Amino acid sequence: MKHTTLLALFVLLHIAARAAETITFDIFLFGDKVGKMTITKTDHPDGTEHYMLESHLRAKVLWIVRDNLSKTEVVYKNGKFLYSTQKEVENGEVKRWNNAKWDGTKLQIEGYKGKKSFAEQPNYSVPVIYFKGLNNVNKLFFEAEADYCKVEKVDNDTWEFKSPDGTKNVYHFENGKIHHMEFHVSIAT
């Protein structure tokens, strides 16, 4: 009986130790649903926040078929960026990948474009947008290109940034929550 009570208490504490929130969006192209994006934030008792952004889309435009899988994981502790991993696979081949880690003095990056570093520790990045919005944010770390982007407020409920790969990202909010996003990408490259 004592062991059963301890086991039940341990399981209950383990479940309560993680508070997770998940947001899901459908992805549309020219009015047709072509995929899904899921973003999850998990708070841990040690002060870490784990963000996971996963998307899958399959679309055919003219003669071009794109089957795209993307996964980004970001970890913050007490509001400070620790590391991120990002990988994008298109039509079965790795299109881009990046790993970024704060080493205490520099942001060290290794990815599909090689190695680089920044003296600045990110305080905001793409998956965080979905849970904390963009109020008072003028710069964020874009994991897919392992670089910083300038954020501009378009109106009271709309922000946008152009990522280093040329993609225009527009976020529309209602009542402080993301209502929908627009990603203006090149169809043919």
Side-chain angles (χ1 to χ4, degrees), residues 109-157:
I109 297 167
E110 184 176 355
Y112 77 106
K113 290 182 178 178
K115 293 182 181 185
K116 63 182 174 180
S117 66
F118 293 101
E120 180 181 2
Q121 183 177 19
N123 58 13
Y124 221 84
S125 59
V126 174
V128 177
I129 295 170
Y130 297 90
F131 300 95
K132 297 185 179 181
L134 281 167
N135 280 326
N136 303 314
V137 175
N138 55 20
K139 184 163 103 172
L140 61 78
F141 185 66
F142 185 67
E143 292 83 2
E145 288 294 320
D147 209 340
Y148 289 94
C149 300
K150 179 181 173 189
V151 178
E152 296 180 7
K153 187 172 184 175
V154 177
D155 63 39
N156 284 339
D157 297 316

Side-chain angles (χ1 to χ4, degrees), residues 48-97:
T48 56
E49 298 174 335
H50 289 247
Y51 295 88
M52 183 71 70
L53 189 153
E54 296 177 282
S55 66
H56 179 231
L57 67 93
R58 181 172 176 78
K60 182 175 182 178
V61 178
L62 302 174
W63 63 92
I64 301 168
V65 176
R66 289 208 174 157
D67 189 358
N68 186 286
L69 296 165
S70 182
K71 183 176 181 178
T72 302
E73 179 184 5
V74 183
V75 177
Y76 285 79
K77 184 165 186 172
N78 300 320
K80 300 288 186 184
F81 178 96
L82 294 180
Y83 69 86
S84 68
T85 61
Q86 182 276 337
K87 184 176 183 182
E88 182 180 354
V89 177
E90 187 169 278
N91 296 332
E93 294 185 23
V94 175
K95 180 178 177 181
R96 56 186 173 180
W97 64 275

Side-chain angles (χ1 to χ4, degrees), residues 27-30 57 66 95-96 130 142 145 154 158-172 180-189:
I27 301 170
F28 290 88
L29 178 66
F30 305 125
L57 67 93
R66 289 208 174 157
K95 180 178 177 181
R96 56 186 173 180
Y130 297 90
F142 185 67
E145 288 294 320
V154 177
T158 307
W159 283 261
E160 71 180 33
F161 65 90
K162 190 171 185 179
S163 56
D165 66 353
T167 301
K168 181 179 173 184
N169 301 268
V170 184
Y171 290 82
H172 301 272
H180 67 280
M181 301 85 60
E182 302 170 42
F183 305 112
H184 300 257
V185 299
S186 173
I187 293 174
T189 56

